[in-house]
Amino acid sequence: MKKPFVLIIIGIVLFSIGYMLYTGKESKITNTNSDIVLTKDEAVNIMGQLINEVIKIYENPTEVFDISETEDTNILKINNYDDVISKVFSDKGIIQLEKTILNEKNFITKSDNDIFMLKLNLNKYINSKINVDQITITKNSISGEFTFYSYDLDSNNDVNYYVITKNISAIKVDSSWLIDNFEYNN
């Protein structure tokens, strides 16, 4: 009796979300430079790829880094930190990443020539659907309001639905797009 009820609730929630997204406000795009070289679809695609890479860094670092285990099972030693991070974040984005505090601890710790990262069971955004609510495109920057939607079942088979909106920006450095602003834990 409980399983069909949960499935009905999930169905209602998903139908409601779909209806809200279908009838909701259209994405707003603002072009602030007459030298625009990106379309909205191109900008959304670039941001989607960057956001997915950033989420992997936080939530699945073993997929993007060469890591070594440490004596502390909650800490990973990152062997190729600079190579990976410089392909995803701008200088400002790297500073923001390195100042991130999770569970009252620094997410990234540097010691001598070694770099360590907290090994946490974070699955906050990795399976989320992402919607672009507003996007602003210039020749060398993309910024916007991105909404992450996800749900899960708790131990009582109750549906928990999450909607998190974040302002995210990327800048073009040389010929690469890099995340300039993404606050994971706000």
Side-chain angles (χ1 to χ4, degrees):
M1 177 69 179
K2 206 171 197 178
K3 289 258 185 201
F5 179 73
V6 169
L7 293 175
I8 290 170
I9 296 297
I10 291 173
I12 291 170
V13 168
L14 291 175
F15 175 78
S16 299
I17 293 167
Y19 181 75
M20 288 185 318
L21 291 174
Y22 178 74
T23 61
K25 62 182 178 182
E26 288 186 27
S27 294
K28 179 180 175 187
I29 183 168
T30 306
N31 291 331
T32 59
N33 187 334
S34 61
D35 297 328
I36 301 297
V37 292
L38 293 176
T39 66
K40 176 187 173 188
D41 290 339
E42 290 170 331
V44 168
N45 186 41
I46 289 167
M47 290 301 282
Q49 290 173 4
L50 287 170
I51 290 168
N52 285 331
E53 286 300 308
V54 170
I55 290 170
K56 286 179 196 172
I57 287 168
Y58 280 98
E59 298 184 11
N60 195 3
T62 58
E63 190 174 318
V64 292
F65 291 109
D66 173 27
I67 62 161
S68 300
E69 298 292 327
T70 63
E71 291 179 20
D72 184 342
T73 58
N74 295 318
I75 306 253
L76 299 171
K77 180 181 177 197
I78 307 299
N79 300 316
N80 60 340
Y81 178 80
D82 291 330
D83 294 337
V84 171
I85 294 301
S86 64
K87 292 177 184 170
V88 179
F89 292 96
S90 69
D91 291 342
K92 179 181 167 191
I94 292 171
I95 291 169
Q96 189 178 43
L97 170 71
E98 292 176 353
K99 289 184 177 182
T100 300
I101 306 284
L102 298 171
N103 293 347
E104 299 179 9
K105 295 179 182 176
N106 290 333
F107 181 62
I108 304 289
T109 305
K110 294 182 176 184
S111 175
D112 298 323
N113 291 329
D114 295 328
I115 298 175
F116 300 94
M117 179 180 287
L118 285 179
K119 181 180 178 183
L120 301 170
N121 186 17
L122 302 172
N123 290 316
K124 197 171 175 180
Y125 303 114
I126 206 153
N127 294 318
S128 298
K129 301 292 181 206
I130 302 172
N131 188 49
V132 180
D133 294 321
Q134 296 180 26
I135 191 161
T136 302
I137 305 167
T138 68
K139 186 176 181 178
N140 294 313
S141 70
I142 306 169
S143 61
E145 188 175 276
F146 295 80
T147 304
F148 296 81
Y149 299 92
S150 66
Y151 68 91
D152 64 10
L153 293 175
D154 65 14
S155 60
N156 297 324
N157 284 333
D158 293 328
V159 177
N160 296 310
Y161 184 69
Y162 305 96
V163 178
I164 301 169
T165 301
K166 297 186 153 296
N167 290 312
I168 304 170
S169 65
I171 61 170
K172 192 171 189 180
V173 177
D174 298 323
S175 61
S176 299
W177 287 94
L178 304 173
I179 289 289
D180 200 46
N181 176 49
F182 180 90
E183 291 188 40
Y184 182 85
N185 60 344
N186 66 345

